[in-house]
Amino acid sequence: MSVPGVGPITALAFIAAIENVERFRRTRDIGAYLGLTEKRYQSAETDVGVGISKQGDAMARHYLYEAANVLLTTVKKRFGLRDWGLKLMRKVGPKRARVAVARKLAVLMGRMWKDGTHFEAPVAS
C-alpha cells in the first residue's frame, strides 16, 4: 500500500491472485500472469496486436488498472513511473497507457513483496 494509487483492496486482490511470489523466477512475468500483456493475432503474413490477453485473475487486473488510473489522474506527486505514464498517455492514448502502468505496478509490487521493501519514489527531473 505504500505505492501511490494502490489502496488496501488493490493490495489484497494482488496478494490473493499471486499467492506466492517465489514461484515467479522473474517479477516481470507477473504482468503476463495477470493478463496485462498484448494479445497477438498471427496468421501467415498478418501480425496484429488486439488488446490485452485477459488471462489470469480478472479482479486483480481490474484493481491494478484502476490504481494506474488513480496514479495518472489524481496523484500529484512527481516521480518516474507517473511521468512515464503521462508521456505514454500522450503518445498512445489513455487506455493503453493505463494498462502499461498497471503492468509496471504489478511488477513493482511483486519486486517489493519479494524483497520485503517499501516504495520510495525517486523525484523525477
Side-chain angles (χ1 to χ4, degrees):
M1 284 179 17
S2 64
V3 179
V6 175
I9 296 175
T10 304
L12 189 61
F14 179 77
I15 289 171
I18 301 300
E19 294 175 356
N20 181 11
V21 75
E22 295 300 324
R23 66 185 171 149
F24 295 99
R25 197 175 69 194
R26 298 178 309 214
T27 54
R28 70 178 180 204
D29 294 340
I30 293 173
Y33 178 76
L34 293 174
L36 292 167
T37 56
E38 187 175 31
K39 185 165 83 172
R40 312 283 309 165
Y41 170 75
Q42 295 178 326
S43 177
E45 295 177 9
T46 305
D47 185 12
V48 182
V50 286
I52 60 173
S53 66
K54 296 185 181 176
Q55 299 295 313
D57 190 80
M59 185 169 47
R61 185 174 51 253
H62 170 76
Y63 285 134
L64 283 169
Y65 182 86
E66 290 301 322
N69 184 39
V70 167
L71 185 107
L72 293 173
T73 57
T74 60
V75 173
K76 299 300 178 195
K77 184 177 180 182
R78 291 191 51 174
F79 56 96
L81 179 60
R82 182 177 183 274
D83 292 344
W84 175 79
L86 291 174
K87 189 180 350 175
L88 194 62
M89 191 182 287
R90 288 189 292 275
K91 185 177 178 183
V92 298
K95 289 183 180 180
R96 285 187 172 194
R98 286 184 201 119
V99 170
V101 171
R103 183 173 50 247
K104 288 223 182 221
L105 276 174
V107 171
L108 176 70
M109 290 167 58
R111 175 51 58 191
M112 289 170 45
W113 185 7
K114 203 170 202 177
D115 293 346
T117 58
H118 293 283
F119 180 79
E120 294 177 19
V123 178
S125 53

